[in-house]
Amino acid sequence: MTVQARAAPGVATSAPDFVDRTYRKVFWRLVPFLMLCYVVAYLDRVNVGFAKLQMSQELGFSETVYGLGAGLFFIGYFLFEVPSNVILHRIGARVWIARIMITWGLISAGFMFVNSATTFYLMRFLLGLAEAGFYPGVILYTTTWFPAHRRARVITVFMAAIPVSGIFGNPLSGWIMDTFHGAHGLSGWQWMFLIEAVPAVLVGLAVFFYLDNRPSEAKWLDPAEQAVIEGDIAADGAGKERSPHSIATVFRNRQVWFMSLIYFAFVTGQYGLTFWMPTIVKASGVQGNLNIGLVSAIPFLFAVFVMVGLGRSADRMRERRWHLIVPALCGAAGFVVAASAGSTVVAIAALAVAAGGVLTCAPLFWSLPTAFLSGAGAAAGIALINSVGNLAGFASPYLIGILRDLTGSTAAGMYALAAMLVIGSVCVFVTPKHVVNR
């Protein structure tokens, strides 16, 4: 008899119905709240793209200075990622995620005091240190609550926070910058950093009281529901005998480094899009910060539907590779068309295709390494893959800034993003399907 069947004595419905109801309950309890946390996180991470529209001119930043500053976030992120996730694994998500969010909120507010390239670089680096561990920590947290065959949809909905932050955050940032510019002697970009930092601190405080570290601690689950989840997670872990089980073996595992390469390629496209979207939209002919924000929201709105649809499909079919390859290639095509588009309408449509592709790759990617990582190896492995992959967040905006200064346009940078997505697709294709299709 299965764990699920034993876990629901006296329940009138069949065991599969009970299991599905249990996971729906967990989904609606945790995932929307985690998504809210990531909306706040991502907004504070990339709102520098909107600040650039005023800040670069006021402070005399070149495109290269902006690109380097935007990317330095990921150097700090890289240095503290693995230690942060190991700490989370030991002390629990509730305390550590709350700490992360409150710290980055305070640092993000401090951006209003940036007055030179040096202070810009320093603050971006410190923001990366503060936020390190949040994203891989949540990915690790989902492995405590959902087995592999239910995880793609969960991670996809969680990461829909990226386009959602663009849908609401871009118009909000544009509105703040236009409305508050000059108030009390502060520029619009300074007000934007201050106002948009407040939710991170408030939501961080809420995390401490709302999240439970594991099913056995969740008072909102009855014992039968806890047994279902813990039984499934135990069975999931039993199929990972070949997983690296210690931090040291993770760093020697070739499969983990190969996953890092794939993620680096996809993240290159993701951050190239999110950091430079306002600049690309402005270059297409759209004027006014609020208008740029509204138009920038269109590609992100399209991406939400693509992400959720493909996440459901990947779990239903238990197929991972082609659910990554197809959107990555579509994203590459979108960048190429957008770079050569002769009209605003065509450029925005192409950016929508690019956004749907690249933003879908990131959540579906995590179905690959979490299919073979477990225990302490999972904590270190997920953090290592995420930290190495997110170095693309440094390389991508910096490269595009250099190419834009050299060529006077964003076209060359967008072609480079497309090439990286193709490389990532090829790497996914050569990944053995029996390793990841679970």
Side-chain angles (χ1 to χ4, degrees), residues 367-418:
S367 297
L368 274 60
T370 56
F372 65 86
L373 290 170
S374 64
I382 291 170
L384 177 62
I385 292 167
N386 191 62
S387 60
V388 172
N390 270 284
L391 286 177
F394 169 76
S396 181
Y398 189 32
L399 174 64
I400 294 177
I402 292 173
L403 292 174
R404 184 173 166 81
D405 276 339
L406 291 175
T407 65
S409 76
T410 56
M414 294 172 76
Y415 292 140
L417 298 180

Side-chain angles (χ1 to χ4, degrees), residues 42-330:
Y42 210 81
L43 180 61
D44 284 343
R45 183 186 297 188
V46 303
N47 58 8
V48 68
F50 251 92
K52 171 184 179 290
L53 300 177
Q54 286 181 348
M55 183 173 64
S56 289
Q57 183 176 3
E58 290 186 12
L59 301 182
F61 291 173
S62 68
E63 302 290 345
T64 302
V65 167
Y66 164 73
L68 176 59
L72 276 172
F73 169 95
F74 296 96
I75 301 300
Y77 197 83
F78 172 80
L79 292 175
F80 198 52
E81 187 84 327
V82 173
S84 179
N85 225 36
V86 172
I87 293 172
L88 183 146
H89 179 65
R90 290 176 179 172
I91 71 174
R94 183 173 65 91
V95 171
W96 197 244
I97 290 178
R99 192 285 305 166
I100 290 171
M101 295 192 67
I102 293 170
T103 306
W104 96 54
L106 296 175
I107 293 175
S108 185
F111 270 79
M112 65 184 293
F113 300 111
V114 167
N115 57 13
S116 66
T118 301
T119 54
F120 179 52
Y121 295 156
L122 176 63
M123 293 300 290
R124 287 295 294 176
F125 177 79
L126 291 177
L127 187 66
L129 283 180
E131 194 181 323
F134 172 78
Y135 175 76
V138 172
I139 299 300
L140 179 64
Y141 186 62
T142 64
T143 67
T144 306
W145 293 86
F146 298 94
H149 66 277
R150 295 179 183 269
R151 211 173 292 143
R153 175 173 172 255
V154 170
I155 296 175
T156 299
V157 173
F158 164 67
M159 288 195 65
I162 296 177
V164 167
S165 70
I167 293 168
F168 296 103
N170 283 358
L172 175 64
S173 297
W175 177 79
I176 292 173
M177 288 170 61
D178 284 344
T179 302
F180 290 87
H181 187 65
H184 299 285
L186 299 176
S187 296
W189 63 269
Q190 292 174 301
W191 279 110
M192 184 200 69
F193 280 125
L194 177 61
I195 293 172
E196 293 183 354
V198 173
V201 177
L202 297 179
V203 176
L205 291 171
V207 165
F208 184 79
F209 297 99
Y210 188 83
L211 288 187
D212 296 291
N213 289 327
R214 55 187 62 87
S216 60
E217 298 177 5
K219 295 180 180 178
W220 45 273
L221 291 174
D222 63 40
E225 292 167 334
Q226 292 173 346
V228 164
I229 298 170
E230 292 178 342
D232 282 350
I233 298 302
D236 212 34
K240 301 177 181 179
E241 292 86 355
R242 299 183 63 184
S243 167
H245 291 290
S246 70
I247 298 172
T249 54
V250 161
F251 282 88
R252 297 194 300 268
N253 188 278
R254 293 182 180 180
Q255 209 165 31
V256 169
W257 287 104
F258 189 65
M259 291 291 115
S260 300
L261 172 62
I262 296 173
Y263 196 51
F264 183 94
F266 292 155
V267 171
T268 299
Q270 175 184 321
Y271 283 113
L273 178 79
T274 53
F275 277 127
W276 288 90
M277 177 74 83
T279 301
I280 295 169
V281 171
K282 184 176 181 179
S284 72
V286 180
Q287 299 298 317
N289 292 324
L290 178 58
N291 291 334
I292 292 172
L294 291 171
V295 173
S296 298
I298 296 173
F300 291 116
L301 181 62
F302 177 76
V304 170
F305 293 99
V306 176
M307 290 174 71
V308 174
L310 285 179
R312 286 178 175 271
S313 176
D315 272 351
R316 185 177 65 253
M317 299 177 66
R318 297 201 181 189
E319 196 288 321
R320 311 301 176 186
R321 295 190 310 157
W322 287 105
H323 280 81
L324 268 170
I325 293 170
V326 171
L329 294 178
C330 288

Side-chain angles (χ1 to χ4, degrees), residues 259 262 266 314 318-328 361 364-365 367-368 424-438:
M259 291 291 115
I262 296 173
F266 292 155
R318 297 201 181 189
E319 196 288 321
R320 311 301 176 186
R321 295 190 310 157
W322 287 105
H323 280 81
L324 268 170
I325 293 170
V326 171
C361 287
L364 292 183
F365 162 81
S367 297
L368 274 60
S425 299
V426 172
C427 291
V428 173
F429 180 76
V430 300
T431 302
K433 63 181 181 180
H434 71 272
V435 173
V436 297
N437 285 349
R438 299 183 59 188

